[in-house]
Amino acid sequence: FGSSFDPCAACPPVRHHTAPRAMSTFVAQLARAPVATVVPESLAVAPRLSSAGVASQLTSGFALGTAGVSLAAAAAAAATRRSSRASAGSRVHGSARAKAVVACRAVPTLHVGIVGYGLVGKELVSQVLANAAKLEKDLGVKVQITAVARSKTMVLLAPGGDSALANGAWPSGEVDADLSKLTDFVLAAAKASGGRAMMVDNTASDAPADMYEAWLAAGAHVATPNKRAGAGPYSRYEKIMAAARTGGSRFLYEATVGAGLPIVGPLQTLLKAGDEVTKVEGIFSGTLSYIFNTWKPGMKYSEVVNDAKNKGFTEPDPRDDLSGTDVGRKVTILARECGLKLELGDIPIKSLVPDALASWQPAAGESVGDGFVKQLEAYDAEMESLIADAKAAGEVLRFVGAIDLKADTASVKLSRYPKDHPFASTQFADNIVTYDTKWYRPRPLVVQGPGAGAAVTAAGIFGNIMEVMSGMRRPRP
């Protein structure tokens, strides 16, 4: 009391006073004025609440004898006069306030726009649809897919129409893709429901990344596995982060490093909590993890690369993986998270593609993957010496990205590690990252697990969606 009672952001504040004289004045006003202008909506709309009950709740804890009036009589008088004394202005005022109460009690909705409807996009939608009802029950927040875009077409869905996306289906009513129109549609849906908007970019393109700043500034949250923004030009990265602050929105990118593994989040938590991170090091490529977990002395390097290609671990052109550029992007994202103002080009990357094959092109009609592996055979002996030397020293070869916060540097390279090092324990296509910090010593904090694939990548994005939903929770009656 002596302060504002504010049930929620949508409800106007109601002032209360403790002094007896103020109470007498308040009750006298209650007797003269229409109830709608003085009674908080939280009480006015309560089911089966009598006028006397309203008065007693408003004055609970006060010295009624000092006030010197009959509250029940005043409330009854006010009720009698309500129909005759209420002016047009008070009716409008009461209506607006009643609508505010309804808005407060409505279940908030997160409206999601999906850009990119390939393997990851379809898996994400499947996860959202399968869990939406449970999340609404647990969090008191709805989530709806409001719009979906492919490379050339998009569908803008009616409220509750996201069931048309079940099982990876593409709904009817598609139009030419236009990210600006899609954005406006999602924002308008959020405004109409009183909820929030969220854009999810499942592509690997710069075009959606160029829109993050506008999305965030407009108040839409952004979640993505796309590394283009986090590892692209630093000037754009700064603008994106600034837009999130000014727009009251969140830029979420857990899935950019390690897919669904919690890698970015724990690092952010450590830094915000005041820990001092001195080094971050990890195996950030599922493809290269598989190659070096599989390759043993006596095996031809080209055959291991071919095995990874045949199992779908590599891109159609294996050089996209062996070049280390993708690892470099992930290292750039983590380095910036640690406060280093680095560009991707500032990071030395040791490519596993022989210089002579960097610009090689397949013959007409030849598969680029098969042709490259055949050319790689000429370098098997050179690579064999590397793994043989590592074994002789009791070590293993691993392709890693590292950030040295003491030296303010980052690198991507092929390194050797003793067999008791966490990196030596990786299996199949594991990703793994270690954080050396002031708190985590003498052994580092380790995060390890599958770091590639549509299901785990979608799970990382879905985790970010649920973070936003948790922040939208409202007190329940």
Side-chain angles (χ1 to χ4, degrees):
F1 284 8
S3 62
S4 294
F5 169 72
D6 194 1
C8 78
C11 292
V14 179
R15 303 292 299 184
H16 300 272
H17 308 279
T18 59
R21 181 178 299 174
M23 174 53 65
S24 298
T25 302
F26 171 70
V27 175
Q29 289 174 346
L30 176 64
R32 293 194 302 269
V35 170
T37 64
V38 297
V39 180
E41 286 78 2
S42 58
L43 300 180
V45 299
R48 295 184 294 277
L49 185 62
S50 67
S51 297
V54 170
S56 64
Q57 288 192 45
L58 282 172
T59 58
S60 176
F62 290 100
L64 302 184
T66 306
V69 295
S70 170
L71 295 181
T80 302
R81 297 186 183 95
R82 177 164 44 193
S83 59
S84 60
R85 296 282 302 273
S87 65
S90 66
R91 286 197 299 271
V92 172
H93 180 64
S95 176
R97 291 162 67 90
K99 290 179 179 178
V101 173
V102 172
C104 288
R105 295 187 172 185
V107 176
T109 301
L110 178 63
H111 296 268
V112 182
I114 305 286
V115 179
Y117 198 57
L119 290 176
V120 172
K122 291 178 181 179
E123 176 64 29
L124 173 62
V125 169
S126 176
Q127 292 180 13
V128 170
L129 295 180
N131 292 280
K134 183 177 186 299
L135 288 172
E136 181 178 350
K137 179 180 178 181
D138 292 346
L139 301 178
V141 179
K142 291 182 179 179
V143 57
Q144 290 185 3
I145 309 298
T146 302
V148 183
R150 299 190 293 197
S151 59
K152 296 182 179 180
T153 59
M154 67 181 185
V155 177
L156 307 179
L157 298 165
D162 54 7
S163 59
L165 296 165
N167 300 315
W170 184 249
S172 59
E174 69 177 13
V175 296
D176 291 342
D178 184 328
L179 293 187
S180 294
K181 290 182 180 179
L182 184 147
T183 302
D184 291 343
F185 184 81
V186 176
L187 288 171
K191 182 178 180 180
S193 75
R196 292 298 299 266
M198 185 170 193
M199 302 298 296
V200 175
D201 171 22
N202 296 313
T203 75
S205 170
D206 267 312
D210 284 337
M211 299 191 70
Y212 292 0
E213 181 184 355
W215 288 344
L216 293 161
H221 304 289
V222 175
T224 184
N226 187 351
K227 294 177 279 293
R228 297 287 179 170
Y234 192 81
S235 58
R236 180 176 67 179
Y237 173 81
E238 282 189 309
K239 291 177 181 178
I240 289 171
M241 293 302 184
R245 291 190 292 270
T246 58
S249 46
R250 299 183 66 186
F251 177 39
L252 301 162
Y253 43 95
E254 181 65 74
T256 58
V257 183
L261 288 180
I263 292 177
V264 175
L267 178 59
Q268 291 173 332
T269 300
L270 290 173
L271 294 169
K272 289 177 182 177
D275 197 359
E276 297 177 13
V277 180
T278 57
K279 188 176 183 180
V280 180
E281 191 174 25
I283 298 172
F284 300 112
S285 167
T287 301
L288 295 173
S289 178
Y290 176 80
I291 288 174
F292 286 99
N293 286 332
T294 303
W295 186 30
K296 300 291 187 295
M299 300 173 66
K300 292 183 178 180
Y301 176 67
S302 62
E303 292 180 352
V304 176
V305 172
N306 190 51
D307 174 54
K309 176 182 69 66
N310 291 338
K311 289 181 177 176
F313 284 110
T314 72
E315 296 294 330
D317 186 345
R319 289 176 296 184
D320 292 343
D321 299 288
L322 299 178
S323 69
T325 301
D326 187 61
V327 175
R329 290 193 180 100
K330 297 172 183 178
V331 169
T332 302
I333 291 169
L334 295 178
R336 290 175 176 178
E337 201 65 53
C338 293
L340 301 186
K341 296 182 178 181
L342 294 179
E343 299 283 3
L344 177 60
D346 296 331
I347 299 175
I349 300 174
K350 176 59 179 176
S351 174
L352 296 178
V353 178
D355 292 341
L357 299 182
S359 57
W360 168 85
Q361 294 297 320
E366 183 181 29
S367 162
V368 63
D370 293 340
F372 173 76
V373 169
K374 186 178 295 184
Q375 295 293 320
L376 197 60
E377 293 174 0
Y379 301 88
D380 281 341
E382 178 182 337
M383 296 299 291
E384 171 65 24
S385 65
L386 293 177
I387 195 168
D389 290 347
K391 182 181 180 181
E395 297 175 329
V396 297
L397 285 177
R398 296 292 185 263
F399 193 81
V400 302
I403 305 163
D404 186 339
L405 278 306
K406 291 183 177 179
D408 289 345
T409 60
S411 61
V412 177
K413 57 188 177 180
L414 185 64
S415 299
R416 287 168 31 172
Y417 293 89
K419 292 184 177 180
D420 61 351
H421 191 278
F423 292 175
S425 66
T426 54
Q427 300 178 16
F428 201 59
D430 278 357
N431 276 200
I432 185 171
V433 60
T434 60
Y435 304 97
D436 287 279
T437 80
K438 178 180 178 181
W439 295 346
Y440 286 89
R441 57 178 55 179
R443 293 183 62 81
L445 173 64
V446 179
V447 177
Q448 179 178 352
V456 291
T457 300
I461 304 166
F462 192 22
N464 287 155
I465 291 175
M466 288 187 283
E467 282 185 64
V468 171
M469 293 177 69
S470 294
M472 294 172 62
R473 299 178 71 177
R474 294 177 182 171
R476 300 187 185 185

